[in-house]
Amino acid sequence: MLTAKERKLLEALEPEAAKHDTEIVSVEIVGSKKAPTIRVYIDCEGGISFDELALAQEWVNLLMDDIDPFPGAYTLEVSSPGIDRPLRTPEHFERFVGEKARVVMAKPHEGRAKWTGILKGYSDDAVLLDVDGDQVSLPYEDIKKANVIATIDFGS
């Protein structure tokens, strides 16, 4: 799911995040190679407040200065995962059982690369998804990207 560079940054950030009772949900590198943007998505028990984001921006920035992941300029963004939260680890797939999710495969599974359904869990190195009443088992190692699909109830 993550590139080698994203994985390396994630591994460097996780120990410091643990000291701050923060989870690194995901790391994403986007944009041009000359001036990329590094996005660090964080979360914590009960959700992320503005103060926690500001504090995280400080320690993430200091770590990035030490790591110096790119020669030259890059932009650093630290944010909450948002309502369409990325799913990266087996624990994420377990934690969000019952939620609607979108899964994009790196290679097609049963002739399809994109799947949308209700998360049923994680078992035997696969993500279990209920798609229109049928349970599919998507090999974890073949998942390119996955996220929760938020539903907003505006009430009556």
Side-chain angles (χ1 to χ4, degrees), residues 7-144:
R7 244 187 333 275
K8 183 178 177 183
L9 292 175
L10 176 77
E11 289 167 3
L13 291 168
E14 283 182 323
E16 188 66 22
K19 292 177 190 175
H20 294 277
D21 296 321
T22 301
E23 173 194 10
I24 304 293
V25 174
S26 193
V27 174
E28 182 179 50
I29 300 171
V30 297
S32 72
K33 289 186 179 188
K34 288 186 179 181
T37 297
I38 302 170
R39 293 184 181 141
V40 179
Y41 297 101
I42 62 171
D43 204 359
C44 66
E45 186 91 23
I48 291 288
S49 71
F50 181 77
D51 290 339
E52 288 161 329
L53 273 174
L55 177 63
Q57 180 76 36
E58 288 179 27
W59 61 259
V60 170
N61 196 35
L62 288 172
L63 272 172
M64 288 297 174
D65 285 348
D66 288 345
I67 298 167
D68 197 19
F70 294 99
Y74 64 88
T75 302
L76 176 64
E77 296 176 1
V78 179
S79 70
S80 71
I83 59 174
D84 289 334
R85 186 188 205 283
L87 302 169
R88 181 181 50 81
T89 66
E91 293 79 16
H92 289 169
F93 291 102
E94 282 292 330
R95 187 183 326 159
F96 292 94
V97 164
E99 298 287 335
K100 190 172 185 181
R102 177 179 298 116
V103 179
V104 179
M105 306 300 290
K107 58 184 181 182
H109 179 74
E110 296 179 10
R112 291 174 59 177
K114 295 180 181 179
W115 296 84
T116 301
I118 305 299
L119 275 175
K120 292 297 180 182
Y122 183 89
S123 179
D124 298 322
D125 297 321
V127 171
L128 308 176
L129 200 63
D130 182 309
V131 180
D132 300 324
D134 293 325
Q135 184 163 300
V136 294
S137 179
L138 303 172
Y140 178 72
E141 66 182 21
D142 294 338
I143 294 174
K144 180 178 180 180

